[in-house]
Amino acid sequence: QVQLVESGGGSVQAGGSLRLSCAASGRTFSFGAMAWFRQVSGKEREFVACIARSTRSVGSVLYNDSVKGRFTISRDNAKNTVYLQMNSLKPEDTAVYYCAATWINGIQTTTNAYNYWGQGTQVAVSS
């Protein structure tokens, strides 16, 4: 049984920073790509960032254009953990953030590519 547990959400003012963490437990030894998505009530879940299992090659990370230059995704395979450092936060970043994992090794940006999801953590950015 695989579980993903997010932490690090909260409320900040615009321009502030938050760091989200997602710890995986269970049969995680062969996870491929891991990603962060976000969702606002009444809207579809939106791709935020993805990181491939190996970060040593070009094209191992991908960001939504709306967060490029402000967010950084990273992972620690030894700890089965993926992180999302969010800087220069804007009110439009307010959402529930979900981490996801797939057995596919390459970058994936669609929700149906992911096998496992966390429960979500709320991020609220005030102006």
Side-chain angles (χ1 to χ4, degrees):
Q1 186 76 11
V2 174
Q3 284 190 316
L4 303 179
V5 179
E6 300 104 335
S7 60
S11 299
V12 295
Q13 290 190 327
S17 298
L18 285 172
R19 189 191 194 208
L20 305 183
S21 299
C22 173
S25 61
R27 295 187 60 187
T28 62
F29 60 90
S30 58
F31 267 163
M34 298 186 76
W36 290 93
F37 288 76
R38 64 187 180 188
Q39 189 168 23
V40 175
S41 180
K43 294 189 176 181
E44 290 190 355
R45 196 164 292 188
E46 176 188 47
F47 169 76
V48 175
C50 178
I51 184 167
R53 180 169 182 82
S54 172
T55 58
R56 291 175 290 179
S57 59
V58 174
S60 60
V61 296
L62 183 69
Y63 297 95
N64 185 307
D65 284 346
S66 66
V67 307
K68 201 175 294 183
R70 300 187 298 121
F71 290 11
T72 302
I73 188 171
S74 61
R75 67 190 287 172
D76 184 335
N77 290 335
K79 296 181 179 180
N80 294 318
T81 301
V82 62
Y83 306 95
L84 187 67
Q85 178 66 45
M86 305 185 294
N87 298 328
S88 302
L89 282 161
K90 304 175 180 180
E92 51 263 44
D93 295 318
T94 296
V96 177
Y97 283 70
Y98 297 90
C99 72
T102 176
W103 305 121
I104 304 171
N105 287 324
I107 296 294
Q108 304 294 321
T109 62
T110 59
T111 56
N112 59 11
Y114 289 87
N115 308 96
Y116 302 100
W117 292 86
Q119 81 288 353
T121 185
Q122 176 71 52
V123 170
V125 185
S126 58
S127 57

